[in-house]
């Protein structure tokens, strides 16, 4: 299973082809803008960034390195089970370690798709009584929204197509790609 080349416009994982969609440069430029906004909003507040693993790990690393303010970072791992019934359930596999009480918390997500994950997870954070809670996501698929999620900071809105790279995987592969790639469907693009 060969898939990786930094310079390629198309990568193949298994039977699927992905075309470059957002370049590393575009991603970095946008992250710098969003980081500056967050930096201004949270200066002096010592925010706590709650990184949702696994997908957001690279995004979080780049975002917080672009902020010149005091902050804390903690990590959570959640997974969603959407059974046959319409009601899904979220399982917190690894909870946060730091006390969120009275803290200004910013959740860092890789992508908001249906909104299910954050719809379920936000109450888990709210129950820990943070002073404030905001959501920052690298990507959002607005046309896929099924649950109302109030995203406060967003780097990119993208169409409802599967993407990989820059932390996002397909079957575990592709997280290390420096660009974001979009699945090429059977009609080309
Ligand atoms: P939601 O709960 O909002 O429907 O989906 C959120 C999760 O689904 C994301 O955190 C991510 O793990 C996964 N996901 C949704 N769309 C994509 C995509 O295009 N590519 C990848 N790699 N994961 C996705
Ligand atoms: Mg995620």
């Amino acid at each position: 299973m060969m898939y990786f080349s930094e310079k390629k416009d198309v990568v193949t994982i298994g039977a699927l082809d992905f075309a470059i969609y957002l370049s590393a440069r575009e991603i970095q430029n946008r992250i710098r803008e969003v980081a500056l906004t967050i930096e201004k909003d949270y200066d002096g507040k010592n925010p706590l960034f709650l990184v949702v693993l696994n997908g957001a790990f690279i995004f979080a690393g780049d975002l917080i390195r672009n902020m010149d303010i005091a902050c804390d970072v903690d990590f959570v791992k959640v997974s969603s089970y959407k059974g046959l019934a319409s009601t899904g359930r979220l399982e917190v596999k690894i909870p946060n370690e730091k006390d969120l009480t009275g803290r200004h918390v910013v959740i860092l997500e890789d992508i908001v798709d249906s909104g299910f994950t954050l719809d379920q997870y936000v109450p888990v954070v709210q129950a820990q009584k943070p002073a404030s809670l905001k959501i920052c996501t690298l990507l959002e698929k607005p046309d896929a929204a099924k649950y109302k999620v109030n995203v406060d900071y967003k780097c990119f809105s993208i169409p409802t197509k599967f993407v990989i790279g820059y932390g996002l995987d397909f079957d575990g592969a592709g997280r290390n790609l420096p660009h974001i790639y979009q699945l090429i469907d059977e009609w080309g693009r």
Side-chain angles (χ1 to χ4, degrees), residues 52 109-111:
V52 183
E109 251 290 26
D110 53 356
I111 182 164

Side-chain angles (χ1 to χ4, degrees), residues 11 27 38 41 46 50 61 79 86 110 120 135 140 175:
V11 297
I27 297 167
I38 296 177
D41 291 354
N46 192 25
L50 207 49
S79 69
S86 58
D110 53 356
Q120 297 283 301
I135 294 170
E140 183 178 32
R175 292 196 199 276

Side-chain angles (χ1 to χ4, degrees), residues 9-169:
D9 289 344
V10 174
V11 297
T12 303
I13 303 181
L16 300 182
D17 293 328
F18 297 83
I20 194 162
Y21 180 67
L22 293 167
S23 73
R25 183 189 295 265
E26 287 175 276
I27 297 167
Q28 293 306 321
N29 287 343
R30 179 63 186 139
I31 283 178
R32 223 169 285 131
E33 291 177 354
V34 173
L36 274 176
T37 306
I38 296 177
E39 189 182 279
K40 286 200 189 90
D41 291 354
Y42 285 88
D43 191 17
K45 291 185 169 176
N46 192 25
L48 193 156
F49 295 104
L50 207 49
V51 183
V52 183
L53 298 172
N54 296 330
F57 78 113
I58 291 179
F59 169 51
D62 284 344
L63 186 79
I64 65 175
R65 275 186 300 175
N66 275 285
M67 285 185 251
D68 189 17
I69 53 170
C71 66
D72 261 338
V73 185
D74 200 359
F75 302 88
V76 296
K77 200 163 185 174
V78 299
S79 69
S80 41
Y81 292 97
K82 292 176 212 174
L84 298 175
S86 58
T87 51
R89 201 172 70 85
L90 185 95
E91 188 186 348
V92 178
K93 296 251 181 190
I94 300 176
N96 52 286
E97 210 168 60
K98 292 192 187 281
D99 185 2
L100 307 186
T101 315
R103 299 298 304 269
H104 294 286
V105 175
V106 183
I107 295 175
L108 301 185
E109 251 290 26
D110 53 356
I111 182 164
V112 179
D113 184 25
S114 73
F116 176 81
T117 304
L118 286 177
D119 178 70
Q120 297 283 301
Y121 184 59
V122 163
V124 174
V125 177
Q126 289 289 16
Q128 298 176 61
K129 305 271 185 282
S132 68
L133 176 60
K134 286 192 179 181
I135 294 170
C136 174
T137 188
L138 172 67
L139 304 170
E140 183 178 32
K141 293 177 176 171
D143 299 335
K146 290 202 189 96
Y147 301 82
K148 179 93 189 82
V149 173
N150 289 313
V151 172
D152 300 283
Y153 306 101
K154 169 176 59 184
C155 295
F156 301 98
S157 282
I158 64 169
T160 310
K161 285 190 178 184
F162 193 77
V163 290
I164 59 164
Y166 196 70
L168 291 136
D169 75 307

